[in-house]
Amino acid sequence: MRIVFVCGSLEPGKDGVGDYVRKLSKELIKNGHQIWALALNDPFISYTFQSLIPLGNGEPLELRLPADLPAKEKVAKASSFVCSIDPDFMSLQFVPFSFHHKGLPYQLSGLLKQFGKDRKWHIMFHELWIGMDRQSHMKHQLLGMIQRQLIKGLLRKLNPVLVHTHCSVYLHELKKLTDIAQRLPLFSNIPVLDPYRVSQKMKQDYTLSDELSIVLFGGIHSGTPIKAFAAEAADYAKRNQKNLKLIVAGRNGPELGDVVKDWEQAGLPAIILGELDNNQLSKLLTELCFGLFTTPVLLAEKSGAVAAMMAHGIHLICVAREWQPFGPVQKQNPLHIPVYEIGKLAQFFQTQPDFSKNVSVRSVSEQFIANLSNAESYG
């Protein structure tokens, strides 16, 4: 197949969706497909960049358009790029904030319609709208209503042959807008450097470990009950004579200071590593057994940090604020990850992890092509 992926940015290591596009593209290219990538709103460059020859590492040819480029010029450059390729499919990798700094990409559907006219479209919704949960602020709920309408208009204008999303909660919402939505699992963007060692770690008995180093990788959400978790963790370590510390890696956001403070006030050490490259991160995650994340468990399926830690054999626990969507929930815990409750932390350390939900880029790419082929047959 000839496929053009369209996303916001393709800056390596700076944009999760861009990294996703690169990794999926490399797998598809390896399997004989012809892939191109178009960054339509890239804030990391100040000029138009186009690769003219393959880079030699299996990555797709790409066109990157700076965020401040006028819409008319974006259409002209993107049209020329797409016409020269004549793809079988255009694949939009959608996150509202990738195409507009306030998450309101009013012009997006019009731009896509202009340079992708009469093309077969696929849309992957990495994100939908904010304010989807009962606990969200009214301001977010109102903004989310506008974002939902924009998504509804996007579906109407592009008339895609196939729609994907990673998350079961999002799939439930998308099915209210279209009958062609399907779930495509999320793979890890972080390559596993030592698959054998990770596979051996997954077979060991996690309950026997005396070193309870807990890794927190990625963004930290507000409202996380870290203070209660840290106090209970300290008590568990003392009663069971375990060495316990927190290791924080990645881009964590403004909540990091409060998390470290709560952890240290509980009498436990915290090590802040900051951003690591993929090799450093893979080595770290391979060494450790336990981890936590602060994304609500209903949204864990769309978390790149969760996917990366699971791929490296990390026994995870969700430590997050309450997040309950307005609509009914069909799958309360789709990845079967333990959720922290006060007084029940010991159960986490005394149970074996479930890695049955792990997926690979290979399996995802195979499903992606199979779903597209089926859509093409019936489209």
Side-chain angles (χ1 to χ4, degrees), residues 296-331:
V297 75
L298 283 172
L299 302 178
E301 291 172 296
K302 76 175 187 67
S303 169
V306 169
M309 289 189 284
M310 290 183 68
H312 283 81
I314 298 290
H315 184 15
L316 285 174
I317 186 168
C318 175
V319 185
R321 69 174 179 87
E322 186 180 1
W323 193 95
Q324 190 65 28
F326 286 99
V329 177
Q330 295 179 325
K331 296 182 179 180

Side-chain angles (χ1 to χ4, degrees), residues 238-267:
K238 183 178 180 180
R239 285 188 293 105
N240 293 277
Q241 297 182 319
K242 304 282 188 179
N243 295 317
L244 195 154
K245 62 177 176 285
L246 180 69
I247 299 175
V248 187
R251 297 192 296 270
N252 312 115
E255 301 294 326
L256 175 60
D258 289 338
V259 167
V260 171
K261 180 181 176 182
D262 289 339
W263 197 262
E264 292 179 340
Q265 283 182 346

Side-chain angles (χ1 to χ4, degrees), residues 7 74 79-80 89 124 147 151 158 168 185 205 208 223 234 251 254 269 276 331 337 353-354 359 365:
C7 60
K74 285 185 179 181
S79 296
S80 177
F89 287 98
M124 161 56 82
Q147 291 177 322
I151 287 174
L158 293 189
S168 300
D205 189 344
L208 300 178
R251 297 192 296 270
L276 304 175
K331 296 182 179 180
I337 294 173
D354 176 12
V359 298
S365 68

Side-chain angles (χ1 to χ4, degrees), residues 28-325:
L28 293 170
I29 290 169
K30 189 170 71 175
N31 287 284
H33 301 282
Q34 294 178 280
I35 308 298
W36 293 261
L38 167 58
L40 199 59
N41 193 58
D42 205 319
F44 297 98
I45 58 174
S46 57
Y47 57 90
T48 297
F49 170 82
Q50 183 171 357
S51 55
L52 300 176
I53 59 174
L55 299 177
N57 56 359
E59 292 197 3
L61 291 172
E62 61 186 46
L63 172 65
R64 296 173 62 182
L65 303 177
D68 59 359
L69 191 69
K72 188 175 180 179
E73 290 186 48
K74 285 185 179 181
V75 170
K77 292 178 183 292
S79 296
S80 177
F81 182 69
V82 172
C83 287
S84 69
I85 295 166
D86 190 25
D88 300 311
F89 287 98
M90 303 285 293
S91 176
L92 173 64
Q93 305 291 306
F94 182 83
V95 176
F97 290 92
S98 287
F99 298 102
H100 188 272
H101 68 286
K102 292 185 178 180
L104 297 171
Y106 292 106
Q107 294 183 313
L108 181 62
S109 60
L111 291 177
L112 298 173
K113 183 71 174 178
Q114 288 182 69
F115 69 76
K117 186 178 180 181
D118 299 325
R119 302 286 179 184
K120 290 182 179 179
W121 280 93
H122 158 264
I123 304 179
M124 161 56 82
F125 285 98
H126 294 268
E127 300 276 359
L128 287 184
W129 50 86
I130 65 172
M132 194 180 290
D133 60 301
R134 298 176 186 275
Q135 292 75 30
S136 59
H137 296 298
M138 181 60 66
K139 178 182 177 181
H140 288 169
Q141 291 179 29
L142 293 174
L143 178 57
M145 291 172 63
I146 300 172
Q147 291 177 322
R148 186 181 188 277
Q149 289 302 115
L150 291 174
I151 287 174
K152 191 175 180 180
L154 179 67
L155 289 167
R156 184 178 64 253
K157 275 197 174 183
L158 293 189
N159 190 29
V161 298
L162 176 66
V163 169
H164 276 137
T165 191
H166 304 304
C167 185
S168 300
V169 171
Y170 288 174
L171 181 61
H172 178 78
E173 292 298 325
L174 281 172
K175 285 186 173 180
K176 297 176 184 177
L177 303 178
T178 175
D179 59 0
I180 56 170
Q182 299 182 44
R183 181 176 173 268
L184 185 69
L186 179 65
F187 54 79
S188 168
N189 277 343
I190 310 300
V192 178
L193 283 183
D194 194 340
Y196 176 76
R197 190 169 179 181
V198 170
S199 67
Q200 291 301 110
K201 182 174 74 171
M202 289 180 177
K203 297 175 184 177
Q204 75 183 41
D205 189 344
Y206 284 62
T207 65
L208 300 178
S209 177
D210 288 326
E211 294 292 332
L212 300 182
S213 298
I214 302 176
V215 62
L216 169 55
F217 166 52
I220 301 172
H221 290 242
S222 61
T224 299
I226 285 288
K227 190 168 188 175
F229 179 87
E232 192 168 347
D235 181 66
Y236 177 85
K238 183 178 180 180
R239 285 188 293 105
N240 293 277
Q241 297 182 319
K242 304 282 188 179
N243 295 317
L244 195 154
K245 62 177 176 285
L246 180 69
I247 299 175
V248 187
R251 297 192 296 270
N252 312 115
E255 301 294 326
L256 175 60
D258 289 338
V259 167
V260 171
K261 180 181 176 182
D262 289 339
W263 197 262
E264 292 179 340
Q265 283 182 346
L268 297 172
I271 300 172
I272 314 303
L273 299 180
E275 289 190 54
L276 304 175
D277 65 32
N278 283 351
N279 288 350
Q280 292 172 323
L281 184 57
S282 182
K283 289 177 182 178
L284 173 70
L285 297 181
T286 299
E287 291 291 331
L288 302 177
C289 292
F290 300 96
L292 69 86
F293 63 95
T294 64
T295 301
V297 75
L298 283 172
L299 302 178
E301 291 172 296
K302 76 175 187 67
S303 169
V306 169
M309 289 189 284
M310 290 183 68
H312 283 81
I314 298 290
H315 184 15
L316 285 174
I317 186 168
C318 175
V319 185
R321 69 174 179 87
E322 186 180 1
W323 193 95
Q324 190 65 28

